[in-house]
Amino acid sequence: MARGRPSLPQLKKYDVTQKVIAALVNVESRAILFDIVRAERSAPEISARLRIPMSTTYGKIAELEGLALVSGRLVRTDGGSRMRVYRSRIRGAEIHVRGAEPRVVLDRN
């Protein structure tokens, strides 16, 4: 391996960090993340509260779940149907950039 080149595990770690940073700087993703810090909500509730299109809401939630920033669970409604609700797994985040390697510090929720 050439000196100074990152290894494959380092590249993968860097890639995840970049994806988390991209999610945190995206306006819709950030709004969703911090709307569901204290209370879990369904995608239609999130969409209505934040005035974000439903398709965008579902897409951003899927991305945030994939990054383990949001968790979801099925609940039964009063009418007996099932609905998925989501909650943020973080309550805050800090991004530090020193040199070429960014670092993300997440505060657990």
Side-chain angles (χ1 to χ4, degrees), residues 42-103:
S42 67
E45 289 174 312
I46 295 167
S47 176
R49 284 175 54 89
L50 299 176
R51 296 185 180 148
I52 297 173
M54 189 66 104
S55 60
T56 301
T57 301
Y58 276 115
K60 296 299 179 184
I61 288 171
E63 178 184 324
L64 294 168
E65 272 190 305
L67 294 169
L69 298 175
V70 166
S71 61
R73 68 184 184 97
L74 284 174
V75 296
R76 288 209 182 267
T77 64
D78 293 337
S81 61
R82 296 183 332 182
M83 172 178 53
R84 193 158 177 83
V85 293
Y86 303 93
R87 180 134 189 207
S88 177
R89 297 184 70 199
I90 65 169
R91 59 181 164 88
E94 294 179 22
I95 300 170
H96 301 272
V97 180
R98 184 168 292 168
E101 187 69 30
R103 186 172 61 105

Side-chain angles (χ1 to χ4, degrees), residues 12-31:
K12 287 187 178 194
K13 176 184 175 200
Y14 186 75
D15 188 45
V16 170
T17 300
Q18 287 298 331
K19 289 178 183 179
V20 170
I21 291 171
L24 292 172
V25 299
N26 179 275
V27 174
E28 289 96 354
S29 294
R30 195 171 57 246

Side-chain angles (χ1 to χ4, degrees), residues 1-11:
M1 181 164 97
R3 189 172 190 163
R5 290 179 82 185
S7 66
L8 186 57
Q10 289 171 326
L11 285 174

